[in-house]
Amino acid sequence: MKNIVSADWLHSRRDDPDVIPVDCRFYLQEKERGMEEYQDAHIPGASYADLEKNLSGQVQNHGGRHPLPNLDDFLQFLGAIGIDKSKTVVAYDAQNTAMAARLWWMLKYLGHEEVYVLDGGIQEWEKKGYPLTEKLPDVEMTTYRPNIKEDMIADLAEVKLASQLDDMILVDARDDNRFAGKSEPIDPKAGHIPTAQNKFFADNLEQGKWKSKEQLKDRFQDQLHKPIINYCGSGVTACVNVLALDEIGKKSKLYVGSWSDWSSYDENPVETKHK
C-alpha cells in the first residue's frame, strides 16, 4: 500500500537515520495524555507531535476547532524534530490513524512524498513485541522547504457550491449519530452539511488494521465518479478518508474547518437524517 507501512517494515529500518517515526497520540478529552504516554514509552527514534500545539493553529470565531497552524511555525516544528524533504516520515497513534493521518495530510500538503502511517498504530508495534523506550531521540535540526499543494484544500465557498450543485460530492467522516444530528457532543449545532454522504472514518479499518485496497474501493464505489470534498468535525478524522481515497487512486480535497466551521455561521443550512 502506498501510504501505509507495517510494523515489520518500520522495525527493519529502526537504525536508518532517514526514517523518522512521529508519535501523534492525542485524546480530545485528556489533552496532556498523549504527551504523557509518549514520555512513558514510544517507538525508538520517535518525536512527538501534539494535535493542538503543533498540528493546529489558534482557534477563532470561524475556521473550526483545529485550523491549520501558522505555516512558519509548522515548518520550524518540522525542522526542530529533524524532518526535511529528504526524510521518510512514519506517523503513528493509538486512535485508528485519526491523528497520524492529520500529520500525513499536512506533510502531503507541503509537497512531501515519503510520508506514511503505521498500520495498526502503536498497538500493533507492541503486539509484535517490538521495543519501546522513554529515551528522547537524538535530533539533527534541519530546515523544511515546502512546495504547497493548494489544490488539496476546499474553502467555505467551494463547500457551499458543492452542497448546492450536483457536480461534487461531500463526504462526512463522523459517526452516524453525529451525521444524523442525533447527538453532538462538541459543536454547537447537530446535523450535517446538506447533500453530504456519510463515511465514518474508522470503517476504513478492521480491528485497528487497514482494509485492503479492494475493500476500500468497494466502500467508496458510489463516490468515485465525481470530485470529492472531505470533512468531519474539525478537519482531523476526515484525513483518514482522504488517505483511504488516495490509496485507491482518487485524489480528493479536505475542508479543514469542517463541521465546526460550517456550523459557526448562523446562515449556513443544516441537514439531519434519521434512520
Side-chain angles (χ1 to χ4, degrees):
M1 301 180 88
K2 64 181 178 179
N3 298 301
I4 300 156
V5 296
S6 68
D8 293 340
W9 185 95
L10 181 57
H11 184 257
S12 71
R13 290 159 178 80
R14 63 192 180 279
D15 296 323
D16 186 340
D18 289 329
V19 176
I20 299 183
V22 182
D23 190 317
C24 301
R25 283 177 285 180
F26 188 84
Y27 303 83
L28 287 172
Q29 306 304 322
E30 302 173 78
K31 298 189 177 186
E32 301 303 320
R33 179 179 163 188
M35 170 58 98
E36 291 167 358
E37 289 183 353
Y38 168 79
Q39 291 171 333
D40 287 342
H42 54 264
I43 293 175
S47 293
Y48 183 70
D50 186 291
L51 172 65
E52 298 193 343
K53 294 175 183 174
N54 309 123
L55 306 184
S56 304
Q58 186 173 357
V59 177
Q60 301 182 33
N61 290 337
H62 302 296
R65 286 181 281 107
H66 293 115
L68 292 182
N70 173 276
L71 180 60
D72 288 340
D73 291 344
F74 184 53
L75 296 179
Q76 188 173 359
F77 166 71
L78 293 175
I81 62 173
I83 294 175
D84 58 29
K85 280 287 196 64
S86 70
K87 300 299 192 293
T88 296
V89 180
V90 180
Y92 71 87
D93 60 28
Q95 287 83 26
N96 282 322
T97 308
M99 311 303 165
R102 169 74 170 217
L103 177 60
W104 171 89
W105 183 90
M106 290 176 70
L107 285 171
K108 287 291 185 184
Y109 176 64
L110 297 185
H112 202 96
E113 294 295 329
E114 299 296 318
V115 54
Y116 307 91
V117 297
L118 181 64
D119 195 15
I122 195 169
Q123 299 98 320
E124 181 68 11
W125 181 270
E126 291 183 275
K127 184 179 174 183
K128 291 274 186 175
Y130 291 148
L132 295 169
T133 184
E134 60 181 25
K135 181 179 179 293
L136 297 180
D138 295 321
V139 174
E140 186 175 336
M141 293 183 66
T142 185
T143 299
Y144 197 101
R145 294 180 173 83
N147 178 23
I148 304 293
K149 307 291 186 184
E150 293 289 356
D151 61 349
M152 290 178 59
I153 284 182
D155 62 15
L156 179 61
E158 190 173 358
V159 173
K160 284 184 177 180
L161 277 177
S163 72
Q164 295 163 3
L165 304 177
D166 194 36
D167 55 358
M168 294 193 80
I169 294 176
L170 292 168
V171 173
D172 187 319
R174 296 172 301 162
D175 66 68
D176 179 70
N177 278 342
R178 289 183 71 193
F179 176 79
K182 295 176 183 176
S183 70
E184 182 45 69
I186 306 171
D187 295 310
K189 292 181 186 176
H192 59 265
I193 300 172
T195 77
Q197 301 175 24
N198 190 207
K199 292 290 179 183
F200 182 38
F201 82 94
D203 288 341
N204 293 307
L205 296 89
E206 206 162 40
Q207 295 182 328
K209 301 287 290 293
W210 275 85
K211 291 180 176 178
S212 68
K213 285 187 178 181
E214 291 71 23
Q215 288 173 305
L216 294 176
K217 282 180 182 176
D218 286 344
R219 178 160 202 251
F220 289 99
Q221 62 181 335
D222 294 334
Q223 289 77 39
L224 298 179
H225 61 294
K226 293 180 182 178
I228 295 172
I229 297 174
N230 296 278
Y231 78 92
C232 54
S234 65
V236 177
T237 61
C239 295
V240 183
N241 280 347
V242 177
L243 191 154
L245 288 162
D246 189 74
E247 196 63 38
I248 58 177
K250 177 72 171 178
K251 298 294 182 184
S252 61
K253 294 188 176 187
L254 175 69
Y255 173 27
V256 177
S258 284
W259 180 250
S260 55
D261 178 53
W262 181 270
S263 61
S264 70
Y265 293 90
D266 290 338
E267 68 272 21
N268 283 349
V270 171
E271 199 169 77
T272 56
K273 166 178 150 274
H274 296 282
K275 289 186 172 181

